[in-house]
């Protein structure tokens, strides 16, 4: 049995639009990173002190409001970059160098970005950027000296709102998965200077969120989708192909979704955050989805976001959740 415990509640003046946990200083601790409605991206360090739970390390400000973000080492210096899409139809690469965040590249998209994925599709030492826009375009970019260079372009049937990497045993590169309003999950691969469809699987409903992660520790990603706001569908690898395992219906709309692993022993977990601020931890019984535990952090909410990472360096994974102007740091405890 699992128990969730709030370590800290950190209030902000601005509404938080996204949250992530990224080890920016290579010290084994994941730094909380938020973006705000004011157009800021801010990096913090968790101090574990009751009076000052978070210490700000750096920020970049005065950006247009952000609508999509991906994280990964794009420029190849060994430090994760933030690739953000704004309401001004621009894609920006924000890098952390010499203890400071700064914009290292700007790329026009021509229309509003809806999803950004930072994925290693070439099996080299840098990640590539895959971005979708409201006009149904899907583009893949790679870093070339000082800017993003377009590698491939695909026109899709419908816009998409969540892009995730798909890891497969024996492949040194990642494919990507995403869903759309047609009710399908799509698997794409970059090859021969093109983004090529490999497979589509019917999951039903309008797919708004996708998460991936290796829950069974077999070198292959499991995939979880959210469709029609509340339907959770689990898919996994069966003899080298992706097949549907199980579906359940959440009691409230799911606004954020992650797959991770809290402890070294055992399988991974699925974590959902809901429109009422409720966090739910789901596990697997074979290929069936089962609920482990849940926690409601705030009485009323219309949106919430989560991320998983080790914020205190104890080799266990914590949860960070944003709800409105508040950030919650949450410990995961394993009970006998």
């Amino acid at each position: 049995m699992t128990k969730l415990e709030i370590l800290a509640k950190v209030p902000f003046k601005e509404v938080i639009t996204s949250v992530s946990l990224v080890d920016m200083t290579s010290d084994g601790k994941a730094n909380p990173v938020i973006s705000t409605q004011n157009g800021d991206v801010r990096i913090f360090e968790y101090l574990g002190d009751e009076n000052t739970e978070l210490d700000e390390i750096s920020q970049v400000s005065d950006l247009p409001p952000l609508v999509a973000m991906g994280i990964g080492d794009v420029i190849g210096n060994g430090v994760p970059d933030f690739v953000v899409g704004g309401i001004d139809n621009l894609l920006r690469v924000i890098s952390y160098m010499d203890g400071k965040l700064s914009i290292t590249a700007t790329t026009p998209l021509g229309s509003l970005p809806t999803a950004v994925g930072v994925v290693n599709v070439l099996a080299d030492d840098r990640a590539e950027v895959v971005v979708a826009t409201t006009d149904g375009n899907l583009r893949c970019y790679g870093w070339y000296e000082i800017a993003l260079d377009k590698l491939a372009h695909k026109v899709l049937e419908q816009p998409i709102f969540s892009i995730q990497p798909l890891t497969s045993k024996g492949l040194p590169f990642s494919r990507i998965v995403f869903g759309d309003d047609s009710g399908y999950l799509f698997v794409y691969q970059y090859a021969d200077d093109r983004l090529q469809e490999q497979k589509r699987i019917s999951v039903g409903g309008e797919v708004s969120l996708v998460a991936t992660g290796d829950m069974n520790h077999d070198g292959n990603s499991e995939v979880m989708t959210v469709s029609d706001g509340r339907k959770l569908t689990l898919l996994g690898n069966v003899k080298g192909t992706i097949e549907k395992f199980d579906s359940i219906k959440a009691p409230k709309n799911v606004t954020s979704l992650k797959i991770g692993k809290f402890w070294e022993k055992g399988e991974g977990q699925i974590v959902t955050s809901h429109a009422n601020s409720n966090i739910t931890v789901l596990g697997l019984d074979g290929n069936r989805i089962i609920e482990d535990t849940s926690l409601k952090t705030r009485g009323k909410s219309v949106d919430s976001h989560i991320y998983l990472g080790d914020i205190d360096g104890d080799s266990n994974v914590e949860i960070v959740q944003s709800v409105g102007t508040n950030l919650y740091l949450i410990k995961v405890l394993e009970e006998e």
Side-chain angles (χ1 to χ4, degrees):
M1 186 68 182
T2 304
K3 180 182 177 181
L4 302 180
E5 179 182 285
I6 297 176
L7 288 174
K9 173 186 174 182
V10 185
F12 289 85
K13 294 180 180 180
E14 314 88 12
V15 172
I16 301 169
T17 55
S18 73
V19 61
S20 52
L21 287 169
V22 190
D23 186 355
M24 303 299 300
T25 57
S26 300
D27 62 355
K29 298 180 182 180
N31 300 96
V33 181
I34 67 168
S35 65
T36 70
Q37 204 168 53
N38 287 356
D40 302 329
V41 176
R42 304 170 66 182
I43 302 177
F44 298 89
E45 181 182 6
Y46 175 65
L47 301 177
D49 187 282
E50 292 182 357
N51 297 316
T52 55
E53 294 91 356
L54 294 179
D55 181 36
E56 185 168 314
I57 295 175
S58 183
Q59 70 168 284
V60 59
S61 304
D62 300 323
L63 300 172
L66 307 179
V67 293
M69 177 185 290
I71 303 169
D73 184 8
V74 175
I75 67 175
N77 66 346
V79 180
D81 304 293
F82 302 95
V83 185
V84 298
I87 62 170
D88 58 352
N89 301 344
L90 291 177
L91 189 68
R92 293 174 173 86
V93 179
I94 301 174
S95 301
Y96 184 70
M97 292 183 287
D98 300 323
K100 183 180 179 182
L101 279 176
S102 60
I103 298 171
T104 51
T106 302
T107 303
L109 297 173
S111 56
L112 188 69
T114 57
V116 175
V118 181
V119 187
N120 190 344
V121 301
L122 292 177
D124 56 14
D125 58 353
R126 288 190 297 219
E128 286 69 47
V129 178
V130 182
V131 57
T133 49
T134 50
D135 56 4
N137 283 285
L138 185 68
R139 299 177 178 91
C140 180
Y141 296 91
W143 186 258
Y144 182 71
E145 293 186 352
I146 59 170
L148 290 175
D149 182 44
K150 188 166 69 175
L151 303 176
H153 181 197
K154 177 78 174 182
V155 179
L156 304 175
E157 296 175 4
Q158 300 188 53
I160 59 175
F161 299 93
S162 183
I163 301 170
Q164 294 296 325
L166 182 70
T167 301
S168 300
K169 187 176 182 179
L171 293 181
F173 56 86
S174 295
R175 294 174 288 172
I176 60 171
V177 291
F178 55 85
D180 64 17
D181 289 355
S182 68
Y184 284 94
L185 177 76
F186 297 87
V187 179
Y188 268 66
Q189 179 178 325
Y190 173 77
D192 301 324
D193 298 326
R194 293 186 298 156
L195 288 166
Q196 304 176 5
E197 181 181 322
Q198 300 258 297
K199 188 177 179 63
R200 63 175 69 188
I201 308 107
S202 176
V203 296
E206 300 177 356
V207 179
S208 56
L209 292 172
V210 177
T212 59
D214 184 3
M215 297 185 68
N216 295 321
H217 317 301
D218 61 358
N220 297 302
S221 295
E222 277 70 49
V223 182
M224 180 70 87
T225 66
V226 176
S227 51
D228 291 340
R230 294 169 60 185
K231 181 184 177 184
L232 292 160
T233 301
L234 175 68
L235 304 99
N237 186 279
V238 178
K239 296 180 179 179
T241 188
I242 303 295
E243 301 291 347
K244 185 162 64 174
F245 287 163
D246 192 20
S247 292
I248 63 170
K249 191 172 184 179
K252 295 290 183 179
N253 279 3
V254 179
T255 57
S256 191
L257 174 71
K258 297 294 177 186
I259 292 177
K261 184 184 178 186
F262 293 121
W263 306 284
E264 289 186 7
K265 296 181 179 179
E267 296 182 331
Q269 290 80 27
I270 302 153
V271 186
T272 60
S273 191
H274 301 260
N276 64 348
S277 83
N278 197 64
I279 295 174
T280 302
V281 178
L282 304 169
L284 295 182
D285 181 6
N287 290 333
R288 307 294 295 179
I289 306 168
I290 56 171
E291 182 175 333
D292 193 349
T293 192
S294 64
L295 172 70
K296 189 174 177 63
T297 54
R298 186 175 174 180
K300 294 182 179 180
S301 172
V302 293
D303 201 6
S304 61
H305 304 279
I306 55 170
Y307 214 90
L308 311 180
D310 180 9
I311 62 173
D312 54 10
D314 65 352
S315 299
N316 293 323
V317 171
E318 286 78 43
I319 302 171
V320 61
Q321 181 197 42
S322 65
V323 184
T325 58
N326 293 315
L327 193 69
Y328 296 89
L329 308 180
I330 299 165
K331 189 81 172 177
V332 186
L333 303 173
E334 189 175 22
E335 296 184 328
E336 296 297 335

PDB file of all heavy atoms in Angstrom, residues 19-34:
ATOM      1  N   VAL A  19       4.667  22.572 -14.779  1.00  0.00           N
ATOM      2  CA  VAL A  19       5.621  22.242 -13.735  1.00  0.00           C
ATOM      3  C   VAL A  19       6.433  21.030 -14.178  1.00  0.00           C
ATOM      4  O   VAL A  19       5.923  20.152 -14.879  1.00  0.00           O
ATOM      5  CB  VAL A  19       4.903  21.960 -12.396  1.00  0.00           C
ATOM      6  CG1 VAL A  19       3.962  20.774 -12.518  1.00  0.00           C
ATOM      7  CG2 VAL A  19       5.893  21.740 -11.265  1.00  0.00           C
ATOM      8  N   SER A  20       7.697  20.988 -13.799  1.00  0.00           N
ATOM      9  CA  SER A  20       8.552  19.839 -14.127  1.00  0.00           C
ATOM     10  C   SER A  20       9.618  19.701 -13.052  1.00  0.00           C
ATOM     11  O   SER A  20       9.833  20.599 -12.230  1.00  0.00           O
ATOM     12  CB  SER A  20       9.193  19.998 -15.509  1.00  0.00           C
ATOM     13  OG  SER A  20       9.852  21.238 -15.626  1.00  0.00           O
ATOM     14  N   LEU A  21      10.280  18.556 -13.046  1.00  0.00           N
ATOM     15  CA  LEU A  21      11.390  18.284 -12.136  1.00  0.00           C
ATOM     16  C   LEU A  21      12.575  17.836 -12.971  1.00  0.00           C
ATOM     17  O   LEU A  21      12.524  16.794 -13.623  1.00  0.00           O
ATOM     18  CB  LEU A  21      11.005  17.207 -11.121  1.00  0.00           C
ATOM     19  CG  LEU A  21      10.031  17.635 -10.013  1.00  0.00           C
ATOM     20  CD1 LEU A  21       9.530  16.427  -9.238  1.00  0.00           C
ATOM     21  CD2 LEU A  21      10.694  18.629  -9.065  1.00  0.00           C
ATOM     22  N   VAL A  22      13.662  18.615 -12.951  1.00  0.00           N
ATOM     23  CA  VAL A  22      14.809  18.372 -13.814  1.00  0.00           C
ATOM     24  C   VAL A  22      16.089  18.629 -13.027  1.00  0.00           C
ATOM     25  O   VAL A  22      16.218  19.656 -12.355  1.00  0.00           O
ATOM     26  CB  VAL A  22      14.790  19.299 -15.055  1.00  0.00           C
ATOM     27  CG1 VAL A  22      15.844  18.867 -16.049  1.00  0.00           C
ATOM     28  CG2 VAL A  22      13.420  19.336 -15.716  1.00  0.00           C
ATOM     29  N   ASP A  23      17.030  17.694 -13.085  1.00  0.00           N
ATOM     30  CA  ASP A  23      18.332  17.873 -12.436  1.00  0.00           C
ATOM     31  C   ASP A  23      19.179  18.798 -13.315  1.00  0.00           C
ATOM     32  O   ASP A  23      19.832  18.368 -14.258  1.00  0.00           O
ATOM     33  CB  ASP A  23      19.020  16.528 -12.235  1.00  0.00           C
ATOM     34  CG  ASP A  23      20.313  16.646 -11.418  1.00  0.00           C
ATOM     35  OD1 ASP A  23      20.706  17.781 -11.099  1.00  0.00           O
ATOM     36  OD2 ASP A  23      20.926  15.604 -11.135  1.00  0.00           O
ATOM     37  N   MET A  24      19.196  20.078 -12.967  1.00  0.00           N
ATOM     38  CA  MET A  24      19.898  21.069 -13.774  1.00  0.00           C
ATOM     39  C   MET A  24      21.364  21.210 -13.395  1.00  0.00           C
ATOM     40  O   MET A  24      22.165  21.711 -14.182  1.00  0.00           O
ATOM     41  CB  MET A  24      19.208  22.441 -13.635  1.00  0.00           C
ATOM     42  CG  MET A  24      17.743  22.448 -14.009  1.00  0.00           C
ATOM     43  SD  MET A  24      17.434  21.985 -15.727  1.00  0.00           S
ATOM     44  CE  MET A  24      18.347  23.235 -16.618  1.00  0.00           C
ATOM     45  N   THR A  25      21.735  20.788 -12.182  1.00  0.00           N
ATOM     46  CA  THR A  25      23.097  21.012 -11.697  1.00  0.00           C
ATOM     47  C   THR A  25      23.887  19.726 -11.506  1.00  0.00           C
ATOM     48  O   THR A  25      25.002  19.754 -10.968  1.00  0.00           O
ATOM     49  CB  THR A  25      23.050  21.786 -10.364  1.00  0.00           C
ATOM     50  OG1 THR A  25      22.258  21.042  -9.417  1.00  0.00           O
ATOM     51  CG2 THR A  25      22.428  23.160 -10.559  1.00  0.00           C
ATOM     52  N   SER A  26      23.320  18.590 -11.956  1.00  0.00           N
ATOM     53  CA  SER A  26      23.980  17.280 -11.905  1.00  0.00           C
ATOM     54  C   SER A  26      24.427  16.899 -10.490  1.00  0.00           C
ATOM     55  O   SER A  26      25.492  16.307 -10.292  1.00  0.00           O
ATOM     56  CB  SER A  26      25.199  17.266 -12.844  1.00  0.00           C
ATOM     57  OG  SER A  26      24.805  17.529 -14.173  1.00  0.00           O
ATOM     58  N   ASP A  27      23.594  17.230  -9.493  1.00  0.00           N
ATOM     59  CA  ASP A  27      23.911  16.881  -8.113  1.00  0.00           C
ATOM     60  C   ASP A  27      23.024  15.762  -7.583  1.00  0.00           C
ATOM     61  O   ASP A  27      23.038  15.470  -6.385  1.00  0.00           O
ATOM     62  CB  ASP A  27      23.797  18.112  -7.207  1.00  0.00           C
ATOM     63  CG  ASP A  27      22.389  18.692  -7.154  1.00  0.00           C
ATOM     64  OD1 ASP A  27      21.514  18.197  -7.895  1.00  0.00           O
ATOM     65  OD2 ASP A  27      22.161  19.628  -6.365  1.00  0.00           O
ATOM     66  N   GLY A  28      22.255  15.125  -8.472  1.00  0.00           N
ATOM     67  CA  GLY A  28      21.386  14.043  -8.058  1.00  0.00           C
ATOM     68  C   GLY A  28      20.050  14.484  -7.513  1.00  0.00           C
ATOM     69  O   GLY A  28      19.238  13.645  -7.103  1.00  0.00           O
ATOM     70  N   LYS A  29      19.786  15.780  -7.498  1.00  0.00           N
ATOM     71  CA  LYS A  29      18.519  16.315  -7.027  1.00  0.00           C
ATOM     72  C   LYS A  29      17.775  16.977  -8.194  1.00  0.00           C
ATOM     73  O   LYS A  29      18.374  17.762  -8.936  1.00  0.00           O
ATOM     74  CB  LYS A  29      18.720  17.335  -5.914  1.00  0.00           C
ATOM     75  CG  LYS A  29      19.367  16.782  -4.662  1.00  0.00           C
ATOM     76  CD  LYS A  29      19.523  17.873  -3.632  1.00  0.00           C
ATOM     77  CE  LYS A  29      20.212  17.355  -2.378  1.00  0.00           C
ATOM     78  NZ  LYS A  29      20.365  18.432  -1.356  1.00  0.00           N
ATOM     79  N   ALA A  30      16.498  16.666  -8.316  1.00  0.00           N
ATOM     80  CA  ALA A  30      15.694  17.265  -9.385  1.00  0.00           C
ATOM     81  C   ALA A  30      15.209  18.642  -8.949  1.00  0.00           C
ATOM     82  O   ALA A  30      14.633  18.794  -7.870  1.00  0.00           O
ATOM     83  CB  ALA A  30      14.503  16.367  -9.716  1.00  0.00           C
ATOM     84  N   ASN A  31      15.461  19.634  -9.774  1.00  0.00           N
ATOM     85  CA  ASN A  31      15.039  20.996  -9.476  1.00  0.00           C
ATOM     86  C   ASN A  31      13.606  21.234  -9.940  1.00  0.00           C
ATOM     87  O   ASN A  31      13.281  20.957 -11.096  1.00  0.00           O
ATOM     88  CB  ASN A  31      15.953  22.007 -10.178  1.00  0.00           C
ATOM     89  CG  ASN A  31      17.388  21.886  -9.752  1.00  0.00           C
ATOM     90  OD1 ASN A  31      18.190  21.233 -10.411  1.00  0.00           O
ATOM     91  ND2 ASN A  31      17.719  22.504  -8.638  1.00  0.00           N
ATOM     92  N   PRO A  32      12.735  21.761  -9.073  1.00  0.00           N
ATOM     93  CA  PRO A  32      11.414  22.179  -9.539  1.00  0.00           C
ATOM     94  C   PRO A  32      11.539  23.334 -10.535  1.00  0.00           C
ATOM     95  O   PRO A  32      12.261  24.305 -10.290  1.00  0.00           O
ATOM     96  CB  PRO A  32      10.706  22.636  -8.256  1.00  0.00           C
ATOM     97  CG  PRO A  32      11.451  21.952  -7.145  1.00  0.00           C
ATOM     98  CD  PRO A  32      12.872  21.886  -7.605  1.00  0.00           C
ATOM     99  N   VAL A  33      10.853  23.194 -11.659  1.00  0.00           N
ATOM    100  CA  VAL A  33      10.843  24.224 -12.698  1.00  0.00           C
ATOM    101  C   VAL A  33       9.395  24.540 -13.020  1.00  0.00           C
ATOM    102  O   VAL A  33       8.593  23.627 -13.256  1.00  0.00           O
ATOM    103  CB  VAL A  33      11.575  23.762 -13.970  1.00  0.00           C
ATOM    104  CG1 VAL A  33      11.574  24.872 -15.021  1.00  0.00           C
ATOM    105  CG2 VAL A  33      12.996  23.320 -13.657  1.00  0.00           C
ATOM    106  N   ILE A  34       9.043  25.813 -13.007  1.00  0.00           N
ATOM    107  CA  ILE A  34       7.668  26.211 -13.331  1.00  0.00           C
ATOM    108  C   ILE A  34       7.673  27.240 -14.449  1.00  0.00           C
ATOM    109  O   ILE A  34       8.649  27.960 -14.654  1.00  0.00           O
ATOM    110  CB  ILE A  34       6.929  26.783 -12.107  1.00  0.00           C
ATOM    111  CG1 ILE A  34       7.553  28.119 -11.663  1.00  0.00           C
ATOM    112  CG2 ILE A  34       6.896  25.784 -10.959  1.00  0.00           C
ATOM    113  CD1 ILE A  34       6.717  28.884 -10.643  1.00  0.00           C
TER     114      ILE A  34
END
